[in-house]
Amino acid sequence: MLTDDCSDAFLVEQCQKGDRQCFRYLYQRYQGKVRSTLYQLCGSSSLDDLVQEVFLRVWKGLPKLKQPATFSTWLYRITWNVATDRRRMLAKHHSFNLPSKTVDSIDAQDLLSCASDSPDLMLLHYQDLVQRGLAHLSFEHRTVIVLHDLEEIPQKEIAEILNIPLGTVKSRLFHARAALRKFLQSEGVNL
């Protein structure tokens, strides 16, 4: 019987044996994190399609996953690949201007969903500032800060996800935080 405490490794092994219910569990467990990561990296445009693309790639790739215990790292790697593919596709069409909405605006639907989570207008203001600050970062810096500071993934795992040295992760995180701090201070936030 499946429960919420089933490990990722167990669920992956069951998926590899053809159990679709276990894939639903994995989807339910991770879709919020995947959606959040993609939103931070790509904006709200086509977000549903991007999430669907990630889980389609996961489903197709599960039979080849040799170490089920590394599922979350593998999933974030796929998420990053989908975000990178999206960025490249938009760059080809010369319409990539950081997240798809303008840097100075926030989508009314996003504002309403934030407002339902927290009625505090100052919190909404700071969330908007952080979003705008992230939009000013390079894709590489934004990726590291989103994975580490927002998704709380350890630096070593980020290095595996992005296939870069740990020192590069630390350097990008340092520079991303400095740039974000500078942006927030320029917007009048005292840190």
Side-chain angles (χ1 to χ4, degrees), residues 144-145 148-149 155 168-177:
V144 171
I145 205 166
H148 187 270
D149 291 351
Q155 292 177 5
T168 302
V169 171
K170 290 179 180 189
S171 173
R172 286 182 185 175
L173 189 57
F174 174 81
H175 291 292
R177 285 176 175 164

Side-chain angles (χ1 to χ4, degrees), residues 17-35:
K17 294 176 184 175
D19 187 335
R20 291 175 182 241
Q21 181 65 26
C22 286
F23 185 73
R24 282 189 208 105
Y25 268 84
L26 287 171
Y27 175 81
Q28 290 168 352
R29 186 175 286 175
Y30 285 101
Q31 72 92 17
K33 291 181 179 195
V34 167
R35 177 176 289 283

Side-chain angles (χ1 to χ4, degrees), residues 23 50-62 78:
F23 185 73
L50 295 173
V51 172
Q52 183 177 356
E53 176 65 23
V54 167
F55 283 100
L56 182 62
R57 289 184 189 188
V58 168
W59 176 251
K60 288 179 177 179
L62 270 175
I78 291 171

Side-chain angles (χ1 to χ4, degrees), residues 6 23 26 30 32 42 46-47 51 63 126 134-135 162 165:
C6 289
F23 185 73
L26 287 171
Y30 285 101
C42 301
S46 304
L47 188 57
V51 172
Y126 287 123
L134 288 172
L162 302 179

Side-chain angles (χ1 to χ4, degrees), residues 91-125:
K92 281 184 181 178
H93 291 97
H94 304 291
S95 64
F96 184 73
N97 216 358
L98 292 170
S100 56
K101 56 189 167 204
T102 63
V103 171
D104 296 324
S105 69
I106 186 166
D107 190 309
Q109 185 177 358
D110 294 339
L111 184 61
L112 290 174
S113 68
C114 288
S116 68
D117 293 341
S118 172
D120 186 354
L121 290 177
M122 280 307 279
L123 179 62
L124 288 174
H125 173 69

